């Protein structure tokens, strides 16, 4: 059965969910988006995703024509219409239809669409064995250009990095920032563990500030781990005890080789698996319910006292 898509105020079958060739999201990558997940009848950290979306839009001077409250309702209703309780949600706002010049003032109204679907995951064996990655020549963008904290529709920097990784026979790339410090992967943040301390680059280090990243920082704190948001170099990564990536699609995935250097023991350690299971546990709680009537007795049950 085909998907039902939300597009500009309507729920339509996927065949009818089409965008104009004059849309500036397509012509110029002029727009913003979010990738969100639903687990067990709840949308994970939806408030944080919406906050990032509206902040990205504000930064590029794109006015989203719906309030965050209405946007939340759109997402929940799209999930309901597709009968989904576990899903990947792609929410996209483009500058809308304009002419062939790049001037956004020619675009009359933004396009808004929401796709809810099943998710493409890394193969399960990689969570047990770990990924091999390389650092690539294409850096993350300058904060002064399109700030990497903006989740914009223009992912070419990261796509080039992904191509470079693929050419080297690896699935993922580690991108540096313009100063040569470690930034993040093409669609995931990066963490390392060294001497019992968890380190990740700070949000000003030319990265997208990931929702999964922030959840992992919280979870590590709850475990009593020391967490530092600090700049580090490739040399630090090569000599880490553990490295892993975090993101909405990947959750937490271990990295066991970087640029040919084996990281730590070359296999994920128990602490990694503990953080991954803490994260999976976290996905069961909080976040708005999709089908509230199915949550009788659970936390968030509207009838519970
Ligand atoms: N860095 C970048 C550059 C990202 O695009 C993350 C980090 C992780 O953020 P969250 O909030 O998800 O923890 C992202 C988001 C994909 C895909 O298909 C991945 C993302 C976005 C869009 C598509 O792999 N990752």
């Amino acid at each position: 059965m085909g998907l039902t898509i939300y597009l500009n105020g309507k729920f339509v079958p996927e065949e009818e969910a089409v965008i104009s060739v004059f849309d500036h999201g397509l012509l110029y990558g002029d727009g913003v988006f979010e990738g969100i997940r639903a687990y067990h009848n709840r949308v994970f950290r939806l408030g944080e995703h919406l906050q990032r979306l509206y902040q990205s839009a504000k930064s590029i001077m794109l006015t989203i024509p719906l309030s965050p409250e209405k946007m939340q309702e759109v997402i929940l209703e799209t999930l309901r219409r597709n009968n989904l309780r576990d899903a990947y949600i792609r929410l996209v706002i483009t500058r809308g239809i304009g002419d062939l010049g790049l001037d956004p003032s020619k675009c009359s109204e933004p396009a808004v669409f929401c796709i809810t679907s099943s998710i493409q995951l890394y193969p399960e064996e990689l969570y047990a064995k770990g990924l091999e990655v390389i650092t690539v020549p294409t850096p993350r963008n300058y904060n002064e250009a399109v700030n990497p904290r903006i989740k914009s529709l223009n992912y070419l920097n990261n796509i080039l990095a992904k191509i470079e990784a693929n050419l080297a026979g690896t699935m993922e790339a580690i991108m540096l920032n313009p100063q040569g410090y470690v930034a993040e992967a093409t669609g995931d943040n990066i963490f390392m563990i060294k001497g019992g301390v968890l380190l990740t680059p700070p949000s000003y280090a030319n990265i997208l500030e990931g929702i999964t990243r922030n959840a992992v920082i919280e979870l590590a704190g709850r475990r009593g781990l020391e967490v530092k948001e600090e700049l580090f170099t490739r040399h630090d990564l090569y000599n880490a005890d553990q490295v892993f990536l975090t993101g909405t699609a990947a959750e937490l995935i271990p990295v066991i080789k970087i640029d040919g250097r084996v990281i730590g023991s070359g296999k994920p350690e128990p602490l990694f698996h503990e953080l991954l299971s803490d994260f999976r546990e976290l996905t069961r709680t909080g976040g708005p319910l999709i089908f509230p009537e199915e949550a009788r007795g659970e936390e968030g049950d509207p009838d519970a006292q």
Side-chain angles (χ1 to χ4, degrees):
M1 203 186 68
L3 297 172
T4 297
I5 312 289
Y6 172 87
L7 174 62
N8 296 332
K10 295 200 186 94
F11 293 95
V12 296
E14 62 179 77
E15 309 76 52
E16 290 171 33
V18 289
I19 288 278
S20 164
V21 291
F22 292 100
D23 190 292
H24 279 209
L26 175 63
L27 288 176
Y28 299 112
D30 186 354
V32 292
F33 77 105
E34 276 298 320
I36 311 169
R37 266 176 89 172
Y39 293 91
H40 321 291
N41 192 25
R42 289 175 188 277
V43 183
F44 183 67
R45 304 233 153 160
L46 180 56
E48 289 176 39
H49 281 283
L50 288 175
Q51 189 180 36
R52 187 170 68 185
L53 179 76
Y54 282 77
Q55 289 184 353
S56 292
K58 179 164 189 178
S59 199
I60 68 161
M61 300 192 87
L62 173 63
T63 306
I64 300 179
L66 279 72
S67 67
E69 294 73 29
K70 183 79 182 79
M71 194 65 90
Q72 166 157 332
E73 204 27 62
V74 162
I75 293 166
L76 294 173
E77 187 56 24
T78 313
L79 288 161
R80 286 182 205 121
R81 290 194 185 220
N82 289 283
N83 197 28
L84 289 167
R85 289 155 187 81
D86 291 270
Y88 184 70
I89 301 153
R90 177 63 62 92
L91 185 58
V92 182
I93 325 291
T94 79
R95 193 76 67 178
I97 296 172
D99 64 19
L100 289 177
L102 58 80
D103 185 354
S105 68
K106 304 277 172 57
C107 301
S108 52
E109 54 187 330
V112 178
F113 60 90
C114 179
I115 307 167
T116 58
S117 185
S118 52
I119 182 151
Q120 203 71 67
L121 295 170
Y122 278 117
E124 189 58 36
E125 61 162 26
L126 287 180
Y127 289 84
K129 277 179 31 196
L131 273 179
E132 178 176 347
V133 304
I134 59 161
T135 56
V136 291
T138 301
R140 274 307 250 150
N141 209 353
Y142 289 95
N143 289 334
E144 298 78 5
V146 180
N147 192 308
R149 289 182 73 180
I150 301 168
K151 203 161 163 65
S152 90
L153 290 182
N154 197 320
Y155 256 58
L156 266 178
N157 246 38
N158 301 40
I159 290 165
L160 290 177
K162 191 78 157 184
I163 290 171
E164 287 157 0
N166 289 344
L167 283 173
T170 56
M171 289 171 76
E172 191 45 281
I174 304 299
M175 301 177 79
L176 307 180
N177 75 3
Q179 290 74 41
Y181 292 101
V182 173
E184 59 179 339
T186 63
D188 292 302
N189 292 110
I190 188 163
F191 282 83
M192 69 172 190
I193 301 172
K194 175 93 176 158
V197 180
L198 186 68
L199 289 117
T200 196
S203 60
Y204 59 80
N206 314 76
I207 64 165
L208 183 81
E209 192 181 338
I211 311 295
T212 319
R213 167 192 186 273
N214 292 350
V216 167
I217 289 174
E218 261 174 59
L219 292 171
R222 281 192 218 166
R223 277 205 172 262
L225 263 177
E226 187 183 348
V227 182
K228 287 188 180 163
E229 294 180 55
E230 211 171 86
L231 293 170
F232 52 82
T233 63
R234 290 195 301 178
H235 173 77
D236 299 308
L237 268 188
Y238 298 154
N239 291 290
D241 301 328
Q242 285 272 279
V243 173
F244 61 90
L245 308 179
T246 67
T248 294
E251 300 179 328
L252 284 71
I253 188 151
V255 172
I256 43 108
K257 211 183 229 189
I258 305 176
D259 299 332
R261 281 79 160 178
V262 173
I263 307 304
S265 67
K267 54 183 191 338
E269 302 289 341
L271 181 54
F272 169 79
H273 289 292
E274 283 163 20
L275 286 170
L276 177 57
S277 77
D278 286 354
F279 180 80
R280 289 188 169 158
E281 199 49 43
L282 191 67
T283 63
R284 299 184 163 274
T285 58
L289 287 161
I290 304 163
F291 296 97
E293 67 280 8
E294 293 176 10
R296 298 279 173 260
E298 274 187 40
E299 184 219 338
D301 174 357
D303 294 340
Q305 293 297 314

